[in-house]
Amino acid sequence: MKKIAVIGAGTMGNGIAHVFAQKGFQVHLIDIAQASLNKGLATITKNLDRMLAKASITEQDKKHTLSNISTFTNLKEGVANTDLVVEAATENLNIKLQIFKDLDEVCDGSTILATNTSSISITQIAAVTNRPDKVIGMHFMNPVPIMKLVEIIRGYSTSDDVTKKIMQLSTDLGKTPTEVNDYPGFVANRILMPMINEAIETLYNGVAGVQEIDTVMKLGMAHPMGPLQLADFIGLDVCLSILNVMHDGFKNPKYAPCPLLVNMVMAGKLGVKSSEGFYDYSESRKAEKLSAQFK
């Protein structure tokens, strides 16, 4: 595989494009809005500059990585002659199904179609295509350039050959691929999201405050980040979507999202992306913290 298309220039999409480009693949980054593509490229450049400052890459590495990325707003042009398409759009079933219907129509018959979904059934996505044997899950972790794990999820009809190719490709990217079966939430989110939901329930029930809950999990359980802060970084809307997928898929009340999470999402408090979630990430709050450092 030499030419890769990535659909979606958001947090996950630009991260996936970054790692492929840095490893020498020709990457077509596709989004419906040029502004989103520009923002995605700016994020990739910022992350490369951070790596450059740490001397983990050279200036030539940075230039080479950026030169490997081309942007497209037209799906058909973006996926033309690609070996693999990785879909990294929003975690919404209907959106993903439509994307895969469109991909099946415009991609070469040999092109492998992968989705970065964190919870939605690969089998269900594959069923809207005429190539279910070539549809597979590649669930990267955030931040993609740093995190080593890729969950590889094969649907009911995914072929052994495609699975083997994607496992090897993930290894070539410097990642550690782990094959899991196609059940709601897979492994990572089936374990992680109930923990985050329980942390939110603990806050909702008044057992402890936000910082106290996160401190207990960081210092008591050796987690690098508390569950409420992690939820902010994932996006509370994404957490809610994943919990709803698992709740619908398993019909088990233990996956029902906490009312506090539902209300925060309805209020637009989505975490880092909206500058407020369980913590305040606004510019005014940053200024307060900076000022406090010099007092």
Side-chain angles (χ1 to χ4, degrees):
M1 296 187 191
K2 296 296 183 182
K3 189 177 291 186
I4 311 295
V6 179
I7 298 179
T11 300
M12 296 305 295
N14 70 62
I16 294 167
H18 176 159
V19 296
F20 272 109
Q22 193 173 338
K23 289 295 183 179
F25 292 87
Q26 294 297 309
V27 178
H28 291 185
L29 183 58
I30 306 166
D31 205 293
I32 58 174
Q34 187 61 48
S36 297
L37 291 167
N38 294 341
K39 184 178 180 181
L41 283 176
T43 299
I44 294 171
T45 302
K46 181 180 178 181
N47 288 335
L48 288 168
D49 285 338
R50 187 178 292 115
M51 297 171 74
L52 187 61
K54 294 180 179 179
S56 57
I57 63 170
T58 65
E59 182 66 35
Q60 185 59 36
D61 292 331
K62 174 188 170 182
K63 291 180 180 178
H64 183 63
T65 298
L66 291 173
S67 70
N68 284 335
I69 303 174
S70 303
T71 62
F72 297 83
T73 55
N74 182 284
L75 181 67
K76 187 173 182 179
E77 293 177 3
V79 301
N81 301 315
T82 55
D83 302 303
L84 168 70
V85 179
V86 182
E87 172 273 318
T90 186
E91 192 72 355
N92 179 289
L93 175 62
N94 290 331
I95 290 175
K96 290 187 186 295
L97 293 182
Q98 187 59 57
I99 288 173
F100 274 79
K101 286 180 184 178
D102 294 340
L103 287 174
D104 192 47
E105 292 179 2
V106 300
C107 288
D108 293 342
S110 61
T111 303
I112 296 172
L113 307 181
T115 173
N116 184 58
T117 180
S118 54
S119 60
I120 297 171
S121 167
I122 308 304
T123 301
Q124 186 174 8
I125 292 173
V128 302
T129 75
N130 293 308
R131 63 182 88 194
D133 58 313
K134 294 183 176 66
V135 178
I136 194 166
M138 289 185 78
H139 180 208
F140 290 84
M141 304 293 125
N142 185 34
V144 182
I146 296 172
M147 300 294 280
K148 292 293 185 182
L149 175 67
V150 182
E151 273 189 309
I152 305 299
I153 310 101
R154 58 188 301 170
Y156 185 83
S157 301
T158 306
S159 71
D160 292 339
D161 179 60
V162 165
T163 302
K164 182 179 179 180
K165 285 180 178 177
I166 296 303
M167 292 286 283
Q168 183 58 56
L169 178 65
S170 301
T171 300
D172 294 341
L173 290 176
K175 304 300 185 183
T176 301
T178 303
E179 184 180 340
V180 304
N181 291 321
D182 187 19
Y183 291 96
F186 315 132
V187 171
N189 282 318
R190 184 169 180 172
I191 295 171
L192 175 63
M193 287 302 154
M195 183 191 74
I196 287 177
N197 198 42
E198 192 62 32
I200 300 171
E201 285 279 1
T202 302
L203 176 66
Y204 181 59
N205 292 329
V207 178
V210 171
Q211 293 189 6
E212 288 76 13
I213 291 169
D214 279 354
T215 297
V216 167
M217 296 305 292
K218 286 190 290 185
L219 301 185
M221 312 305 164
H223 290 193
M225 185 183 291
L228 299 178
Q229 185 181 17
L230 178 56
D232 277 352
F233 275 81
I234 293 170
L236 302 191
D237 54 336
V238 176
C239 293
L240 178 59
S241 176
I242 295 170
L243 284 165
N244 281 332
V245 167
M246 293 196 295
H247 188 219
D248 291 342
F250 290 117
K251 310 299 182 186
N252 190 323
K254 75 177 182 179
Y255 298 114
C258 175
L260 175 58
L261 174 61
V262 175
N263 283 342
M264 290 179 72
V265 172
M266 286 195 297
K269 311 299 183 184
L270 309 181
V272 174
K273 70 175 75 176
S274 67
S275 298
E276 185 179 354
F278 293 107
Y279 293 87
D280 187 347
Y281 305 93
S282 63
E283 290 301 322
S284 61
R285 182 57 179 160
K286 291 178 183 177
E288 288 176 14
K289 289 183 178 180
L290 184 62
S291 176
Q293 292 177 6
F294 292 96
K295 289 183 178 179

